[in-house]
Amino acid sequence: MKTYKIALLPGDGIGRDVTAAAWAVLEKAARLNGFSLDATSYPWSCDYYLENGSMMHADGIETLRSFDAILLGAVGWPRKVPDSVSLHGLLLPIRKAFVQYANIRPHRLLPGVQGPLRSDGFDILCIRENTEGEYSGAGGRVHQGTDNEVAVETSIFTRMGVKRILRFGFEQARARRGKLASVTKSNAQKYSMVFWDEITQRLSAEYPDVEVTSYHIDAMAARMVMAPDSLDVVVASNLFGDILTDLGAAIQGGLGFAASANINPDRSAPSMFEPVHGSAPDIADLGIANPIAAIWSGAMMLEHLGETAAAARVMASIEATTARGIGAIPGKDKTDAITASVLSALG
């Protein structure tokens, strides 16, 4: 029997509950499809930081390197630890160390879920550059605490980094409906974003079967609301992709339905899968977090591992659950009830 080694990082807040729910579903799907999942859980979180002075132990990256994939719950608890510390101490180092440069976030309405828009026929795949750009961490502060204080944050865009994420997007568009939307703000950011637009135009010559359109970020935000069904694959920088995918979560019914994958496309290191919603401290420990985003992220993990039948089975079970109205309305159903329904639908 094929066995996959999975690192579990439940993290903070509702991350613990939704990771447990997703794991129960993934284990059953694996059993039904003739393979197994071997989990090792790590307590790296804001509580871990308060006890140890770091978000993970010193050899955390090398520890994770031996796994086939990573399933993460949520990171952050700003009342305990500043988000700038928790994000740069765990999530971003993993993405960068394992060259998980493609952040994939699907946006569509599940059966039975009512979105806020008049349109319900959209199916958008957002591809976010995940290792450089606006989240590179280049910059600093001088004269801190004085009236002369200066803060500098520098976005880093490399030709290699931009080419590989755009090429990844082109390949996804080619495998889907053949439409790629590239998002920048090149009218205002005349160096980095013009650079991105130029590379998009050059690469498009290699993909004559893909229809390419360039949008400014503000126009894309409007299009996602007014005409989401006109979009197929959307590719954007780290910051723009982050913002657009929260909008994508909103139009698909809420953050409880927003799944994501941090992919290392050449598979030289493990990829990481996580729901988009974050730790939601205000509802932590109440048992009301929607686990669907985490379960959907788990299905993306199975697909990445090559277990496509199991991934399809999990997605079908999610859709059967929401079609029955369970988990379809934010806050209506308990975490355990949604999980039990998905488990039952698995067969």
Side-chain angles (χ1 to χ4, degrees):
M1 180 181 289
K2 177 74 173 179
T3 299
Y4 300 96
K5 291 176 57 183
I6 310 298
L8 298 183
L9 305 181
D12 298 297
I14 65 171
R16 296 186 293 270
D17 292 341
V18 299
T19 300
W23 191 248
V25 171
L26 295 175
E27 278 196 308
K28 183 173 181 180
R31 187 168 64 252
L32 292 171
N33 284 272
F35 63 95
S36 66
L37 300 172
D38 179 17
T40 303
S41 187
Y42 296 94
W44 304 335
S45 61
C46 288
D47 284 339
Y48 184 91
Y49 177 87
L50 293 175
E51 293 176 8
N52 299 278
S54 63
M55 289 296 296
M56 59 179 165
H57 60 69
D59 61 348
I61 293 297
E62 291 311 308
T63 297
L64 293 175
R65 194 178 295 277
S66 65
F67 288 90
D68 295 305
I70 304 162
L71 186 65
L72 183 142
V75 177
W77 198 296
R79 284 186 299 170
K80 298 179 180 180
V81 178
D83 283 341
S84 57
V85 172
S86 59
L87 184 67
H88 286 271
L90 185 60
L91 193 58
L92 294 188
I94 293 172
R95 289 174 175 174
K96 293 176 181 179
F98 296 148
V99 200
Q100 297 169 351
Y101 67 81
N103 185 273
I104 305 173
R105 299 186 178 187
H107 301 296
R108 61 181 177 86
L109 282 174
L110 294 170
V113 176
Q114 182 69 50
L117 304 182
R118 288 172 295 178
S119 175
D120 60 7
F122 59 88
D123 181 0
I124 305 170
L125 189 69
C126 280
I127 309 294
R128 167 190 171 190
E129 200 291 315
N130 211 31
T131 59
E132 54 177 48
E134 303 90 347
Y135 293 2
S136 298
R141 293 167 65 180
V142 295
H143 309 306
Q144 283 185 254
T146 74
D147 290 340
N148 297 320
E149 184 170 0
V150 177
V152 176
E153 192 89 31
T154 303
S155 299
I156 304 295
F157 290 87
T158 66
R159 183 171 294 276
M160 180 189 71
V162 176
K163 282 183 68 174
R164 68 187 181 186
I165 194 62
L166 284 167
R167 191 177 294 281
F168 186 89
F170 273 108
E171 294 292 340
Q172 294 297 312
R174 174 174 276 175
R176 284 169 53 94
R177 301 193 303 278
K179 295 171 65 176
L180 179 78
S182 175
V183 181
T184 65
K185 188 61 176 171
S186 50
N187 57 342
Q189 295 173 285
K190 64 179 183 178
Y191 301 116
S192 61
M193 296 286 93
V194 170
F195 177 63
W196 181 294
D197 283 347
E198 289 173 353
I199 295 174
T200 302
Q201 184 177 12
R202 288 171 187 165
L203 278 179
S204 67
E206 300 179 26
Y207 296 88
D209 53 327
V210 176
E211 177 187 339
V212 184
T213 308
S214 291
Y215 294 92
H216 291 153
I217 176 67
D218 42 355
M220 175 53 68
R223 179 166 288 271
M224 287 182 70
V225 172
M226 301 302 293
D229 51 321
S230 70
L231 299 169
D232 181 15
V233 175
V234 175
V235 183
S237 69
N238 216 329
L239 175 62
F240 290 170
D242 195 1
I243 294 168
L244 286 176
T245 51
D246 269 19
L247 177 55
I251 66 173
Q252 73 181 115
L255 284 166
F257 304 108
S260 79
N262 303 275
I263 298 296
N264 174 307
D266 68 11
R267 299 173 184 267
S268 60
S271 294
M272 180 167 61
F273 303 82
E274 57 171 322
V276 174
H277 52 58
S279 62
D282 57 323
I283 61 168
D285 303 319
L286 298 181
I288 60 173
N290 190 338
I292 287 176
I295 298 170
W296 191 341
S297 300
M300 296 175 77
M301 181 183 79
L302 295 181
E303 184 172 9
H304 180 74
L305 292 172
E307 299 294 346
T308 54
R313 189 173 200 154
V314 171
M315 287 307 304
S317 300
I318 291 173
E319 292 173 351
T321 291
T322 57
R324 294 172 55 205
I326 300 173
I329 300 173
K332 173 179 170 287
D333 299 300
K334 298 285 189 179
T335 308
D336 288 348
I338 300 169
T339 308
S341 180
V342 177
L343 285 168
S344 176
L346 278 174

